[in-house]
Coordinates of all heavy atoms in Angstrom, one line a residue:
M9 N -10.9 -14.6 -3.6 CA -9.9 -13.6 -3.5 C -10.5 -12.5 -2.5 O -11.6 -12.2 -2.5 CB -9.7 -13.0 -4.8 CG -8.8 -11.8 -4.9 SD -9.5 -10.2 -4.4 CE -10.9 -10.0 -5.5
A10 N -9.6 -12.1 -1.6 CA -10.0 -11.0 -0.7 C -8.8 -10.2 -0.4 O -7.6 -10.7 -0.4 CB -10.5 -11.7 0.6
I11 N -9.0 -8.9 -0.2 CA -7.9 -8.0 0.2 C -8.5 -7.1 1.3 O -9.6 -6.6 1.1 CB -7.4 -7.2 -1.0 CG1 -6.2 -6.3 -0.5 CG2 -8.4 -6.4 -1.7 CD1 -5.4 -5.7 -1.7
Q12 N -7.8 -7.0 2.4 CA -8.3 -6.1 3.5 C -7.1 -5.6 4.3 O -6.0 -6.1 4.2 CB -9.2 -6.9 4.4 CG -8.5 -8.0 5.2 CD -9.5 -8.8 6.1 OE1 -10.5 -9.2 5.6 NE2 -9.2 -9.0 7.3
R13 N -7.4 -4.5 4.9 CA -6.4 -3.8 5.7 C -6.7 -3.9 7.2 O -7.9 -3.7 7.6 CB -6.3 -2.4 5.3 CG -5.2 -1.7 6.0 CD -4.8 -0.4 5.4 NE -4.1 0.5 6.4 CZ -4.0 1.8 6.2 NH1 -4.4 2.4 5.2 NH2 -3.3 2.4 7.1
E14 N -5.7 -4.2 8.0 CA -5.8 -4.3 9.4 C -4.6 -3.5 10.0 O -3.5 -3.9 9.9 CB -5.8 -5.7 10.0 CG -7.0 -6.5 9.5 CD -6.9 -8.0 10.0 OE1 -6.1 -8.3 10.8 OE2 -7.7 -8.8 9.4
G15 N -4.9 -2.2 10.4 CA -3.8 -1.4 10.9 C -2.9 -1.0 9.7 O -3.4 -0.5 8.7
R16 N -1.6 -1.3 9.9 CA -0.6 -1.0 8.8 C -0.3 -2.2 7.9 O 0.6 -2.1 7.1 CB 0.6 -0.5 9.5 CG 0.4 0.8 10.3 CD 1.6 1.4 10.9 NE 2.7 1.7 9.9 CZ 2.7 2.9 9.2 NH1 1.7 3.7 9.3 NH2 3.6 3.1 8.3
R17 N -1.1 -3.2 8.1 CA -0.9 -4.4 7.3 C -2.1 -4.6 6.3 O -3.2 -4.6 6.7 CB -0.7 -5.6 8.2 CG -0.2 -6.9 7.4 CD 0.2 -8.0 8.3 NE 1.5 -7.7 9.0 CZ 2.5 -8.5 8.9 NH1 2.4 -9.7 8.4 NH2 3.7 -8.2 9.5
V18 N -1.7 -5.0 5.1 CA -2.7 -5.3 4.0 C -2.6 -6.7 3.7 O -1.5 -7.2 3.3 CB -2.5 -4.4 2.8 CG1 -3.5 -4.8 1.7 CG2 -2.6 -2.9 3.1
Y19 N -3.7 -7.5 3.9 CA -3.7 -8.9 3.7 C -4.3 -9.2 2.3 O -5.4 -8.7 2.0 CB -4.5 -9.7 4.8 CG -3.8 -9.6 6.1 CD1 -4.2 -8.6 7.0 CD2 -2.9 -10.5 6.5 CE1 -3.5 -8.5 8.3 CE2 -2.3 -10.5 7.7 CZ -2.6 -9.5 8.6 OH -2.0 -9.4 9.8
V20 N -3.6 -10.0 1.5 CA -4.1 -10.5 0.2 C -4.3 -12.0 0.4 O -3.4 -12.7 0.7 CB -3.2 -10.1 -0.9 CG1 -3.8 -10.5 -2.2 CG2 -2.9 -8.6 -0.9
R21 N -5.5 -12.4 0.0 CA -5.8 -13.9 0.2 C -6.5 -14.4 -1.1 O -7.2 -13.7 -1.8 CB -6.8 -14.1 1.3 CG -6.3 -13.7 2.7 CD -7.3 -13.8 3.8 NE -6.7 -13.5 5.1 CZ -6.8 -12.3 5.7 NH1 -7.5 -11.3 5.1 NH2 -6.2 -12.1 6.8
G22 N -6.2 -15.7 -1.4 CA -6.8 -16.3 -2.6 C -5.9 -16.2 -3.8 O -4.7 -16.1 -3.7
S23 N -6.5 -16.3 -5.0 CA -5.7 -16.3 -6.2 C -5.6 -15.0 -6.8 O -6.5 -14.1 -6.7 CB -6.3 -17.3 -7.2 OG -7.6 -16.9 -7.6
I24 N -4.4 -14.7 -7.5 CA -4.2 -13.5 -8.3 C -3.8 -14.0 -9.6 O -2.7 -14.4 -9.9 CB -3.1 -12.6 -7.6 CG1 -3.4 -12.3 -6.2 CG2 -2.9 -11.4 -8.5 CD1 -2.2 -11.7 -5.5
I25 N -4.8 -13.9 -10.5 CA -4.6 -14.4 -11.9 C -5.1 -13.3 -12.9 O -5.8 -12.4 -12.4 CB -5.2 -15.7 -12.1 CG1 -6.7 -15.7 -11.8 CG2 -4.5 -16.8 -11.4 CD1 -7.5 -17.0 -12.1
V26 N -4.9 -13.5 -14.1 CA -5.3 -12.5 -15.1 C -6.8 -12.2 -15.0 O -7.1 -11.0 -15.3 CB -4.8 -13.0 -16.5 CG1 -5.7 -14.1 -17.0 CG2 -4.9 -11.8 -17.5
D27 N -7.6 -13.1 -14.6 CA -9.0 -12.8 -14.5 C -9.4 -11.8 -13.5 O -10.5 -11.2 -13.5 CB -9.8 -14.1 -14.3 CG -9.7 -15.1 -15.5 OD1 -9.4 -14.6 -16.6 OD2 -10.0 -16.3 -15.3
N28 N -8.6 -11.7 -12.4 CA -9.0 -10.8 -11.3 C -7.9 -9.8 -10.9 O -8.1 -9.0 -10.0 CB -9.4 -11.6 -10.1 CG -8.3 -12.4 -9.5 OD1 -7.1 -12.3 -9.9 ND2 -8.6 -13.3 -8.5
V29 N -6.8 -9.8 -11.6 CA -5.7 -8.9 -11.2 C -6.0 -7.4 -11.3 O -5.6 -6.7 -10.4 CB -4.4 -9.2 -12.0 CG1 -4.5 -8.7 -13.5 CG2 -3.2 -8.6 -11.3
V30 N -6.8 -7.0 -12.2 CA -7.2 -5.6 -12.3 C -8.0 -5.2 -11.0 O -7.7 -4.1 -10.4 CB -7.9 -5.2 -13.6 CG1 -8.5 -3.8 -13.6 CG2 -7.0 -5.5 -14.8
E31 N -9.0 -6.0 -10.7 CA -9.8 -5.7 -9.5 C -8.9 -5.7 -8.2 O -9.1 -4.8 -7.4 CB -10.9 -6.8 -9.4 CG -11.8 -6.6 -8.2 CD -12.8 -7.7 -8.0 OE1 -12.9 -8.5 -8.9 OE2 -13.4 -7.7 -6.9
I32 N -8.1 -6.6 -8.1 CA -7.2 -6.7 -6.9 C -6.3 -5.5 -6.8 O -6.1 -4.9 -5.8 CB -6.4 -8.0 -6.8 CG1 -7.4 -9.2 -6.7 CG2 -5.5 -8.0 -5.6 CD1 -6.7 -10.5 -7.0
T33 N -5.7 -5.1 -8.0 CA -4.8 -4.0 -8.1 C -5.5 -2.7 -7.6 O -5.0 -2.0 -6.8 CB -4.3 -3.8 -9.5 OG1 -3.6 -5.0 -9.9 CG2 -3.3 -2.6 -9.6
Q34 N -6.7 -2.5 -8.1 CA -7.5 -1.3 -7.7 C -7.9 -1.3 -6.2 O -7.8 -0.3 -5.6 CB -8.7 -1.2 -8.6 CG -8.4 -0.9 -10.0 CD -9.5 -1.0 -11.0 OE1 -10.6 -1.5 -10.7 NE2 -9.4 -0.4 -12.2
Q35 N -8.3 -2.5 -5.7 CA -8.6 -2.6 -4.3 C -7.4 -2.3 -3.4 O -7.6 -1.6 -2.4 CB -9.2 -4.0 -4.0 CG -10.6 -4.2 -4.6 CD -11.0 -5.6 -4.3 OE1 -10.4 -6.4 -3.5 NE2 -12.1 -6.0 -4.9
G36 N -6.3 -2.7 -3.8 CA -5.1 -2.5 -3.1 C -4.7 -1.0 -3.1 O -4.5 -0.4 -2.0
I37 N -4.8 -0.4 -4.2 CA -4.4 1.0 -4.3 C -5.4 1.9 -3.4 O -4.9 2.8 -2.8 CB -4.5 1.5 -5.8 CG1 -3.3 0.9 -6.6 CG2 -4.5 3.0 -5.9 CD1 -3.4 1.1 -8.1
A38 N -6.6 1.5 -3.3 CA -7.6 2.2 -2.5 C -7.2 2.1 -1.0 O -7.6 3.0 -0.2 CB -9.0 1.7 -2.7
L39 N -6.5 1.1 -0.6 CA -6.1 0.9 0.8 C -4.8 1.6 1.2 O -4.5 1.7 2.3 CB -6.0 -0.6 1.1 CG -7.3 -1.4 1.0 CD1 -7.1 -2.9 1.2 CD2 -8.4 -0.9 1.9
F40 N -4.0 1.9 0.2 CA -2.7 2.5 0.4 C -2.7 4.0 0.6 O -2.4 4.8 -0.2 CB -1.7 2.1 -0.8 CG -1.6 0.7 -1.1 CD1 -1.3 0.3 -2.3 CD2 -1.8 -0.3 -0.1 CE1 -1.1 -1.1 -2.6 CE2 -1.6 -1.6 -0.4 CZ -1.3 -2.0 -1.6
D41 N -3.1 4.4 1.8 CA -3.3 5.8 2.1 C -2.3 6.3 3.2 O -2.5 7.4 3.6 CB -4.7 6.1 2.5 CG -5.1 5.3 3.8 OD1 -4.3 4.5 4.3 OD2 -6.2 5.5 4.3
E42 N -1.3 5.5 3.5 CA -0.2 6.0 4.4 C 1.1 5.3 4.1 O 1.1 4.3 3.5 CB -0.6 5.9 5.9 CG -0.8 4.5 6.4 CD -1.1 4.4 7.8 OE1 -0.3 4.8 8.7 OE2 -2.3 4.1 8.1
D43 N 2.1 5.9 4.6 CA 3.5 5.4 4.3 C 3.8 4.2 5.2 O 3.3 4.1 6.3 CB 4.5 6.5 4.7 CG 5.9 6.2 4.2 OD1 6.0 5.5 3.2 OD2 6.8 6.7 4.8
G44 N 4.6 3.3 4.6 CA 5.2 2.2 5.4 C 4.2 1.0 5.6 O 4.4 0.3 6.5
L45 N 3.3 0.9 4.7 CA 2.3 -0.2 4.9 C 3.1 -1.5 4.5 O 4.0 -1.6 3.6 CB 1.1 0.0 4.0 CG 0.2 1.1 4.4 CD1 -0.9 1.2 3.4 CD2 -0.4 0.9 5.8
V46 N 2.6 -2.6 5.1 CA 3.1 -4.0 4.8 C 2.1 -4.8 4.1 O 0.9 -4.9 4.6 CB 3.6 -4.6 6.1 CG1 4.0 -6.1 5.9 CG2 4.6 -3.8 6.8
V47 N 2.4 -5.3 2.9 CA 1.5 -6.1 2.2 C 1.8 -7.6 2.4 O 2.9 -8.0 2.1 CB 1.5 -5.8 0.7 CG1 0.6 -6.7 -0.1 CG2 1.2 -4.4 0.4
D48 N 0.9 -8.3 3.1 CA 1.2 -9.7 3.5 C 0.5 -10.6 2.4 O -0.7 -10.6 2.3 CB 0.5 -9.9 4.9 CG 0.9 -11.3 5.5 OD1 1.0 -12.3 4.7 OD2 1.1 -11.3 6.7
L49 N 1.4 -11.3 1.7 CA 0.9 -12.2 0.7 C 0.9 -13.7 1.1 O 0.8 -14.6 0.2 CB 1.8 -12.0 -0.6 CG 1.8 -10.5 -1.1 CD1 3.0 -10.3 -2.0 CD2 0.5 -10.2 -1.8
G50 N 1.0 -13.9 2.3 CA 1.1 -15.3 2.8 C 0.0 -16.2 2.6 O 0.1 -17.4 2.6
E51 N -1.2 -15.6 2.3 CA -2.4 -16.5 2.0 C -2.8 -16.4 0.6 O -3.9 -16.8 0.2 CB -3.5 -16.0 2.9 CG -3.2 -16.3 4.4 CD -4.4 -16.0 5.3 OE1 -5.5 -16.3 5.0 OE2 -4.1 -15.3 6.3
V52 N -1.9 -16.0 -0.3 CA -2.1 -16.1 -1.8 C -1.9 -17.5 -2.2 O -0.9 -18.1 -1.9 CB -1.2 -15.1 -2.5 CG1 -1.3 -15.3 -4.0 CG2 -1.5 -13.7 -2.2
T53 N -2.9 -18.1 -2.9 CA -2.9 -19.5 -3.2 C -2.5 -19.8 -4.6 O -1.9 -20.8 -4.8 CB -4.3 -20.1 -2.9 OG1 -5.3 -19.4 -3.7 CG2 -4.7 -20.0 -1.5
E54 N -2.8 -19.0 -5.5 CA -2.5 -19.2 -6.9 C -2.1 -17.9 -7.6 O -2.7 -16.9 -7.3 CB -3.8 -19.8 -7.6 CG -3.6 -20.1 -9.1 CD -4.9 -20.5 -9.8 OE1 -6.0 -20.4 -9.1 OE2 -4.9 -20.9 -10.9
V55 N -1.1 -18.0 -8.5 CA -0.7 -16.8 -9.2 C -0.3 -17.1 -10.6 O -0.1 -18.3 -10.9 CB 0.5 -16.1 -8.5 CG1 0.2 -15.6 -7.2 CG2 1.7 -17.0 -8.5
D56 N -0.4 -16.1 -11.5 CA 0.2 -16.3 -12.8 C 1.1 -15.0 -13.0 O 1.2 -14.2 -12.1 CB -0.8 -16.5 -13.9 CG -1.8 -15.3 -14.1 OD1 -1.5 -14.2 -13.6 OD2 -2.9 -15.5 -14.6
S57 N 1.6 -14.8 -14.1 CA 2.6 -13.7 -14.3 C 2.0 -12.4 -14.1 O 2.7 -11.4 -13.9 CB 3.3 -13.9 -15.7 OG 2.3 -13.8 -16.7
S58 N 0.7 -12.2 -14.2 CA 0.0 -10.9 -14.0 C 0.3 -10.4 -12.6 O 0.2 -9.1 -12.4 CB -1.5 -11.0 -14.3 OG -2.1 -11.8 -13.4
V59 N 0.6 -11.2 -11.7 CA 0.8 -10.7 -10.3 C 2.0 -9.8 -10.3 O 2.1 -8.9 -9.5 CB 1.0 -11.9 -9.3 CG1 2.3 -12.6 -9.6 CG2 0.9 -11.4 -7.9
I60 N 3.0 -10.0 -11.1 CA 4.2 -9.2 -11.2 C 3.8 -7.7 -11.6 O 4.2 -6.8 -10.9 CB 5.3 -9.7 -12.1 CG1 5.7 -11.1 -11.7 CG2 6.5 -8.8 -12.2 CD1 6.4 -11.2 -10.4
S61 N 2.9 -7.6 -12.5 CA 2.5 -6.3 -12.9 C 1.7 -5.6 -11.8 O 1.8 -4.4 -11.6 CB 1.7 -6.3 -14.2 OG 0.5 -7.0 -14.0
M62 N 0.9 -6.4 -11.0 CA 0.2 -5.8 -9.9 C 1.2 -5.3 -8.9 O 1.0 -4.1 -8.4 CB -0.7 -6.9 -9.3 CG -1.5 -6.4 -8.1 SD -2.3 -7.7 -7.1 CE -0.8 -8.3 -6.2
L63 N 2.2 -6.0 -8.5 CA 3.1 -5.5 -7.5 C 3.8 -4.3 -8.0 O 4.0 -3.3 -7.2 CB 4.2 -6.6 -7.3 CG 3.7 -7.9 -6.7 CD1 4.9 -8.9 -6.4 CD2 3.0 -7.7 -5.4
F64 N 4.2 -4.2 -9.3 CA 4.8 -3.0 -9.8 C 3.9 -1.8 -9.9 O 4.3 -0.7 -9.6 CB 5.5 -3.2 -11.1 CG 6.8 -3.9 -11.0 CD1 7.1 -5.1 -11.6 CD2 7.9 -3.3 -10.4 CE1 8.3 -5.7 -11.5 CE2 9.1 -3.9 -10.2 CZ 9.3 -5.1 -10.8
E65 N 2.6 -2.0 -10.1 CA 1.6 -1.0 -10.1 C 1.4 -0.4 -8.7 O 1.4 0.8 -8.5 CB 0.3 -1.4 -10.7 CG -0.8 -0.4 -10.7 CD -0.5 0.9 -11.6 OE1 0.5 0.8 -12.4 OE2 -1.2 1.9 -11.5
W66 N 1.4 -1.3 -7.8 CA 1.3 -0.9 -6.4 C 2.5 0.0 -6.0 O 2.4 1.0 -5.3 CB 1.1 -2.0 -5.4 CG -0.3 -2.6 -5.5 CD1 -1.4 -2.2 -6.1 CD2 -0.7 -3.8 -4.8 NE1 -2.4 -3.0 -5.9 CE2 -2.1 -4.0 -5.1 CE3 0.0 -4.8 -4.0 CZ2 -2.8 -5.1 -4.5 CZ3 -0.7 -5.8 -3.5 CH2 -2.1 -6.0 -3.7
L67 N 3.7 -0.5 -6.4 CA 4.9 0.3 -6.0 C 4.9 1.6 -6.8 O 5.3 2.6 -6.2 CB 6.1 -0.6 -6.4 CG 6.4 -1.8 -5.6 CD1 7.5 -2.7 -6.2 CD2 6.7 -1.4 -4.1
R68 N 4.5 1.6 -8.0 CA 4.4 2.9 -8.8 C 3.5 3.9 -8.1 O 3.8 5.1 -7.9 CB 4.0 2.6 -10.2 CG 4.1 3.8 -11.1 CD 3.5 3.5 -12.5 NE 2.0 3.4 -12.5 CZ 1.2 4.5 -12.4 NH1 1.7 5.7 -12.3 NH2 -0.1 4.3 -12.4
M69 N 2.3 3.4 -7.7 CA 1.4 4.3 -7.0 C 1.9 4.8 -5.7 O 1.8 6.0 -5.3 CB 0.0 3.6 -6.9 CG -0.7 3.4 -8.2 SD -1.0 4.9 -9.1 CE -2.1 5.8 -8.0
A70 N 2.5 3.9 -4.9 CA 3.1 4.3 -3.6 C 4.2 5.4 -3.9 O 4.3 6.4 -3.2 CB 3.7 3.1 -2.9
H71 N 5.0 5.2 -4.8 CA 6.1 6.1 -5.2 C 5.5 7.5 -5.5 O 6.0 8.5 -5.1 CB 7.0 5.6 -6.3 CG 8.1 6.5 -6.6 ND1 9.2 6.7 -5.8 CD2 8.3 7.3 -7.7 CE1 10.0 7.5 -6.4 NE2 9.5 7.9 -7.6
A72 N 4.5 7.5 -6.3 CA 3.9 8.7 -6.8 C 3.3 9.5 -5.6 O 3.2 10.7 -5.6 CB 2.8 8.4 -7.8
R73 N 3.0 8.8 -4.5 CA 2.4 9.4 -3.3 C 3.5 9.6 -2.2 O 3.2 9.8 -1.1 CB 1.3 8.5 -2.7 CG 0.1 8.3 -3.7 CD -0.9 7.4 -3.1 NE -2.0 7.2 -4.0 CZ -3.0 6.3 -3.8 NH1 -3.0 5.5 -2.8 NH2 -4.0 6.2 -4.7
N74 N 4.7 9.3 -2.6 CA 5.9 9.4 -1.6 C 5.7 8.5 -0.4 O 5.9 8.9 0.7 CB 6.1 10.9 -1.2 CG 6.6 11.8 -2.3 OD1 7.4 11.4 -3.0 ND2 6.0 12.9 -2.4
Q75 N 5.3 7.3 -0.7 CA 5.0 6.3 0.3 C 5.9 5.1 0.0 O 6.3 4.8 -1.1 CB 3.6 5.8 0.3 CG 2.6 6.9 0.6 CD 1.2 6.4 0.3 OE1 0.9 5.5 -0.4 NE2 0.2 7.2 1.0
Q76 N 6.2 4.3 1.1 CA 7.0 3.1 0.9 C 6.0 1.9 1.2 O 5.2 2.0 2.1 CB 8.1 3.0 1.9 CG 9.2 4.0 1.7 CD 10.0 3.5 0.5 OE1 10.3 2.4 0.3 NE2 10.4 4.5 -0.3
L77 N 6.1 0.9 0.4 CA 5.4 -0.4 0.6 C 6.4 -1.5 0.8 O 7.5 -1.5 0.2 CB 4.6 -0.8 -0.6 CG 3.2 -0.1 -0.9 CD1 2.6 -0.8 -2.2 CD2 2.3 -0.3 0.2
Y78 N 6.0 -2.4 1.7 CA 6.9 -3.6 1.9 C 6.1 -4.8 1.7 O 4.9 -4.9 2.1 CB 7.5 -3.5 3.3 CG 8.3 -2.3 3.6 CD1 7.7 -1.2 4.2 CD2 9.6 -2.2 3.2 CE1 8.4 0.0 4.4 CE2 10.3 -1.0 3.4 CZ 9.7 0.0 4.0 OH 10.4 1.2 4.3
F79 N 6.7 -5.8 1.1 CA 6.0 -7.1 0.9 C 6.6 -8.2 1.8 O 7.8 -8.2 2.0 CB 6.1 -7.5 -0.6 CG 5.5 -6.5 -1.5 CD1 6.2 -5.6 -2.2 CD2 4.1 -6.5 -1.7 CE1 5.6 -4.7 -3.0 CE2 3.5 -5.6 -2.6 CZ 4.3 -4.7 -3.2
V80 N 5.7 -9.0 2.4 CA 6.2 -10.1 3.3 C 5.4 -11.3 2.9 O 4.3 -11.3 2.3 CB 6.0 -9.7 4.8 CG1 6.8 -8.5 5.2 CG2 4.5 -9.5 5.1
N81 N 6.0 -12.5 3.4 CA 5.4 -13.8 3.3 C 5.0 -14.2 1.9 O 3.9 -14.7 1.6 CB 4.2 -13.8 4.2 CG 4.5 -13.6 5.7 OD1 5.6 -14.0 6.1 ND2 3.7 -12.9 6.4
L82 N 5.9 -13.9 0.9 CA 5.6 -14.4 -0.5 C 5.5 -15.9 -0.5 O 6.4 -16.6 0.0 CB 6.7 -13.9 -1.4 CG 6.5 -12.5 -2.0 CD1 6.7 -11.5 -1.0 CD2 7.6 -12.4 -3.1
P83 N 4.4 -16.4 -1.1 CA 4.3 -17.9 -1.2 C 5.3 -18.3 -2.2 O 5.9 -17.5 -3.1 CB 2.9 -18.1 -1.7 CG 2.4 -16.8 -2.3 CD 3.2 -15.7 -1.6
E84 N 5.7 -19.6 -2.2 CA 6.7 -20.2 -3.1 C 6.4 -19.9 -4.6 O 7.3 -19.6 -5.3 CB 6.8 -21.7 -2.8 CG 8.0 -22.3 -3.6 CD 9.3 -21.7 -3.3 OE1 9.6 -21.4 -2.1 OE2 10.2 -21.6 -4.2
N85 N 5.2 -20.0 -5.0 CA 4.9 -19.8 -6.4 C 5.1 -18.4 -6.8 O 5.6 -18.1 -7.9 CB 3.4 -20.3 -6.8 CG 2.4 -19.6 -5.9 OD1 2.6 -18.8 -5.0 ND2 1.1 -20.1 -6.1
L86 N 4.9 -17.4 -6.0 CA 5.1 -16.0 -6.3 C 6.6 -15.7 -6.2 O 7.2 -15.1 -7.1 CB 4.4 -15.1 -5.3 CG 4.6 -13.6 -5.5 CD1 4.4 -13.1 -6.9 CD2 3.7 -12.8 -4.6
S87 N 7.3 -16.3 -5.3 CA 8.8 -16.1 -5.2 C 9.4 -16.7 -6.4 O 10.4 -16.1 -6.9 CB 9.3 -16.9 -4.0 OG 8.9 -16.3 -2.8
S88 N 8.9 -17.8 -6.9 CA 9.5 -18.4 -8.2 C 9.3 -17.4 -9.4 O 10.2 -17.3 -10.2 CB 8.8 -19.7 -8.5 OG 9.1 -20.6 -7.5
L89 N 8.1 -16.8 -9.5 CA 7.9 -15.8 -10.6 C 8.8 -14.6 -10.4 O 9.4 -14.1 -11.4 CB 6.5 -15.4 -10.6 CG 5.5 -16.4 -11.2 CD1 4.1 -15.8 -11.1 CD2 5.8 -16.7 -12.7
V90 N 9.0 -14.1 -9.2 CA 9.9 -13.0 -9.0 C 11.3 -13.3 -9.4 O 12.0 -12.5 -10.1 CB 9.9 -12.6 -7.5 CG1 11.0 -11.6 -7.2 CG2 8.5 -11.9 -7.2
Q91 N 11.8 -14.6 -9.1 CA 13.1 -15.0 -9.6 C 13.1 -15.2 -11.1 O 14.1 -14.8 -11.7 CB 13.5 -16.3 -8.8 CG 13.7 -16.1 -7.3 CD 14.7 -15.1 -7.0 OE1 15.8 -15.0 -7.6 NE2 14.4 -14.3 -6.0
L92 N 12.1 -15.8 -11.6 CA 12.1 -16.1 -13.1 C 12.2 -14.8 -13.9 O 12.9 -14.8 -14.9 CB 10.8 -16.8 -13.4 CG 10.5 -17.1 -14.9 CD1 11.5 -18.2 -15.4 CD2 9.1 -17.5 -15.1
Y93 N 11.5 -13.8 -13.5 CA 11.5 -12.5 -14.2 C 12.7 -11.6 -13.8 O 12.7 -10.4 -14.2 CB 10.2 -11.8 -14.1 CG 9.1 -12.5 -14.9 CD1 8.1 -13.2 -14.2 CD2 9.1 -12.6 -16.3 CE1 7.1 -13.9 -14.9 CE2 8.2 -13.3 -17.0 CZ 7.2 -13.9 -16.3 OH 6.2 -14.6 -17.0
S94 N 13.5 -12.1 -12.8 CA 14.7 -11.3 -12.4 C 14.3 -9.9 -11.8 O 14.9 -8.9 -12.1 CB 15.7 -11.2 -13.5 OG 16.2 -12.4 -13.9
V95 N 13.2 -9.9 -11.0 CA 12.8 -8.6 -10.5 C 12.9 -8.5 -9.0 O 12.4 -7.6 -8.3 CB 11.3 -8.3 -10.9 CG1 11.2 -8.1 -12.4 CG2 10.4 -9.4 -10.4
A96 N 13.6 -9.5 -8.4 CA 13.7 -9.5 -6.9 C 14.3 -8.2 -6.4 O 14.0 -7.8 -5.3 CB 14.6 -10.7 -6.5
D97 N 15.3 -7.6 -7.1 CA 15.9 -6.4 -6.6 C 15.0 -5.2 -6.6 O 15.3 -4.2 -6.0 CB 17.1 -6.1 -7.5 CG 18.3 -7.0 -7.3 OD1 18.3 -7.8 -6.3 OD2 19.1 -7.1 -8.1
F98 N 13.8 -5.3 -7.3 CA 12.9 -4.2 -7.4 C 11.7 -4.3 -6.5 O 10.9 -3.4 -6.4 CB 12.4 -4.0 -8.9 CG 13.6 -3.9 -9.8 CD1 13.9 -5.0 -10.7 CD2 14.3 -2.8 -9.9 CE1 15.0 -4.9 -11.5 CE2 15.4 -2.7 -10.7 CZ 15.7 -3.7 -11.6
I99 N 11.5 -5.5 -5.9 CA 10.4 -5.8 -5.0 C 10.9 -5.6 -3.5 O 11.7 -6.5 -3.1 CB 9.8 -7.2 -5.2 CG1 9.5 -7.4 -6.7 CG2 8.6 -7.4 -4.3 CD1 8.3 -6.7 -7.2
P100 N 10.5 -4.6 -2.8 CA 11.0 -4.4 -1.5 C 10.4 -5.4 -0.5 O 9.2 -5.3 -0.1 CB 10.5 -3.0 -1.1 CG 9.4 -2.7 -2.0 CD 9.6 -3.5 -3.2
L101 N 11.2 -6.3 -0.1 CA 10.8 -7.4 0.9 C 11.3 -7.0 2.2 O 12.5 -6.6 2.4 CB 11.3 -8.7 0.4 CG 10.9 -9.2 -0.9 CD1 11.6 -10.5 -1.2 CD2 9.4 -9.4 -1.0
D102 N 10.5 -7.1 3.2 CA 10.9 -6.8 4.6 C 11.0 -8.2 5.3 O 10.0 -8.7 5.8 CB 10.0 -5.9 5.3 CG 10.7 -5.4 6.6 OD1 11.5 -6.1 7.2 OD2 10.4 -4.2 6.9
T103 N 12.2 -8.7 5.3 CA 12.4 -10.0 5.9 C 12.4 -10.0 7.5 O 12.5 -11.0 8.1 CB 13.7 -10.7 5.4 OG1 14.8 -9.8 5.7 CG2 13.6 -11.0 3.9
N104 N 12.4 -8.8 8.0 CA 12.4 -8.6 9.5 C 11.0 -8.7 10.0 O 10.8 -8.7 11.2 CB 13.0 -7.3 9.9 CG 14.5 -7.2 9.5 OD1 15.2 -8.2 9.7 ND2 14.9 -6.1 9.0
I105 N 10.0 -8.6 9.1 CA 8.6 -8.7 9.6 C 8.1 -10.1 9.3 O 8.2 -10.6 8.2 CB 7.7 -7.7 8.8 CG1 8.2 -6.3 9.0 CG2 6.2 -7.8 9.2 CD1 7.6 -5.2 8.2
V106 N 7.5 -10.7 10.3 CA 7.0 -12.1 10.1 C 5.5 -12.1 10.4 O 4.9 -11.1 10.8 CB 7.7 -13.1 11.1 CG1 9.1 -13.2 10.6 CG2 7.6 -12.7 12.5
K107 N 4.9 -13.2 10.1 CA 3.4 -13.3 10.2 C 2.9 -12.9 11.6 O 3.4 -13.1 12.6 CB 3.0 -14.8 9.9 CG 3.0 -15.1 8.5 CD 2.5 -16.4 8.2 CE 2.5 -16.7 6.7 NZ 2.0 -17.9 6.3

């Protein structure tokens, strides 16, 4: 698992599961220091339902800081969870931004 920021894009790589979701959540929050950042999830390999809570925590923290976050390149397994939990309307996806 790795998370890093390059310019206005935050890359998340590897698995996001219950064993590491707290660490990834905290690392992400530390990187969210300006408005309009794009979180690229294209290299996330494995997820469980804890990833949904991570996305919402990131959004909650961004909102508290008057910032917008956008998510791009959701892998199929994450997209499936978003649909399963009916939270697609609450996850800001920017389909105009590509890899």
Side-chain angles (χ1 to χ4, degrees):
M9 173 282 303
I11 184 169
Q12 67 183 49
R13 181 167 163 196
E14 296 175 14
R16 297 182 62 79
R17 190 170 285 233
V18 176
Y19 293 92
V20 183
R21 298 176 176 98
S23 65
I24 304 171
I25 55 174
V26 72
D27 292 340
N28 64 5
V29 72
V30 171
E31 178 184 352
I32 298 169
T33 301
Q34 292 171 343
Q35 288 178 10
I37 289 170
L39 298 174
F40 301 153
D41 61 358
E42 67 179 287
D43 190 31
L45 293 177
V46 176
V47 178
D48 191 321
L49 300 163
E51 295 183 45
V52 171
T53 55
E54 178 185 10
V55 295
D56 62 22
S57 60
S58 66
V59 71
I60 301 296
S61 64
M62 180 192 77
L63 297 180
F64 279 119
E65 179 62 12
W66 284 354
L67 291 169
R68 187 185 72 75
M69 290 303 296
H71 179 74
R73 298 174 180 174
N74 292 316
Q75 299 170 339
Q76 292 289 318
L77 278 184
Y78 303 96
F79 298 98
V80 296
N81 302 322
L82 272 67
E84 185 60 36
N85 53 3
L86 178 50
S87 293
S88 295
L89 283 175
V90 167
Q91 295 301 318
L92 175 69
Y93 290 108
S94 300
V95 295
D97 291 341
F98 306 107
I99 307 289
L101 302 176
D102 194 330
T103 55
N104 296 319
I105 300 173
V106 293
K107 287 186 179 181

